[in-house]
Amino acid sequence: MPTVTAETPAIPGLLLAGGLARRMGGGDKPMRQIAGRTILDRVIARLKPQCDGLVLNANGDATRFASFGLPVIADGIKNFPGPLAGILAGLDWLADHRPDVSWMLSAAADCPFLPRDLVERLHRARAQQDAQLAVAASGGQSHPVIGLWSVGLREELRHALVVEDIRKIDRWTARYKLATVSWPIEPLDPFFNANTLDDIAEAERLATLDAEANASAARLS
């Protein structure tokens, strides 16, 4: 459980696993293995120390994720393609089950090398810039699926999805003051995500680099 202070409030995390993995031939991308561990297991290991609880957004039979011991929530807006529906489902779940929290982290469940300071840096930037939302970036590219969301904006998001048919995250976040936080891409991009079978092979190589970087950091600490 992360330390909760006035500067760092309780922030639960939502893992988005609703993709169809068409470029991998279907199935659940987060259940693919990298160096003997599922991608989802690696994502949970990265975020659990940072977040005040984790929730998994996935559609279909929830029992396939039972071994991970997380609440599994489906999109509340049916047949809606895109991560905004999953983000809304997470915000709705928190409003019902965690009325004490005001913020939610979202992250793609197919990013096995997420930064260990993700929540801290996003929250700090949002607070310092008095922003309503915060998203991650690396290598000059924004990653809007990985961000910090205000539970108080959920009805505005619902209206954008249902009434305005807005599907792209950047179109919705453009309405608000947004803090963007960038991470270095050396020795590896922490937001690398596995979309294809070739990506899985590359992830095996990156897992070795990641382990070496972690060991080096531990020796210096």
Side-chain angles (χ1 to χ4, degrees):
M1 182 74 66
T3 301
V4 177
T5 67
E7 293 75 27
T8 307
I11 299 179
L14 174 74
L15 310 183
L16 295 162
L20 299 178
R22 290 189 179 94
R23 284 180 282 177
M24 284 191 185
D28 295 301
K29 284 191 292 181
M31 302 296 274
R32 301 275 179 166
Q33 290 207 356
I34 295 173
R37 297 173 65 192
T38 65
I39 296 174
L40 182 55
D41 184 55
R42 289 174 177 272
V43 173
I44 291 171
R46 289 299 171 102
L47 293 183
K48 194 172 182 180
Q50 304 183 52
C51 293
D52 186 23
L54 297 174
V55 179
L56 183 66
N57 165 240
N59 299 306
D61 183 5
T63 61
R64 69 194 193 274
F65 297 107
S67 64
F68 294 96
L70 301 179
V72 180
I73 56 173
D75 294 348
I77 301 175
K78 301 303 179 185
N79 303 317
F80 184 88
L84 276 178
I87 289 169
L88 178 59
L91 295 175
D92 282 343
W93 190 89
L94 288 178
D96 290 339
H97 295 84
R98 293 291 307 275
D100 57 308
V101 304
S102 301
W103 298 95
M104 178 187 80
L105 174 85
S106 70
D110 62 352
C111 289
F113 310 116
L114 290 168
R116 289 180 167 83
D117 58 355
L118 180 62
V119 174
E120 177 190 355
R121 289 194 60 201
L122 286 176
H123 174 71
R124 188 191 321 138
R126 187 212 61 77
Q128 289 175 347
Q129 298 177 39
D130 194 25
Q132 293 165 287
L133 303 166
V135 297
S138 63
Q141 178 182 355
S142 176
H143 307 292
V145 167
I146 301 170
L148 203 59
W149 308 85
S150 168
V151 179
L153 292 178
R154 67 191 182 99
E155 294 305 333
E156 292 178 36
L157 176 55
R158 192 185 325 279
H159 184 275
L161 286 171
V162 176
V163 178
E164 301 175 71
D165 195 33
I166 289 179
R167 301 183 176 227
K168 290 188 176 297
I169 294 181
D170 340 22
R171 280 191 61 199
W172 189 66
T173 58
R175 300 177 173 185
Y176 302 94
K177 187 172 182 181
L178 180 69
T180 300
V181 184
S182 185
W183 273 263
I185 58 174
E186 296 296 338
L188 75 163
D189 188 338
F191 304 110
F192 171 90
N193 65 323
N195 284 317
T196 67
L197 293 176
D198 286 342
D199 288 340
I200 294 292
E202 173 65 4
E204 295 272 352
R205 184 185 71 84
L206 295 178
T208 301
L209 286 179
D210 182 59
E212 292 171 351
N214 292 334
S216 177
R219 286 194 296 269
L220 294 174
S221 63

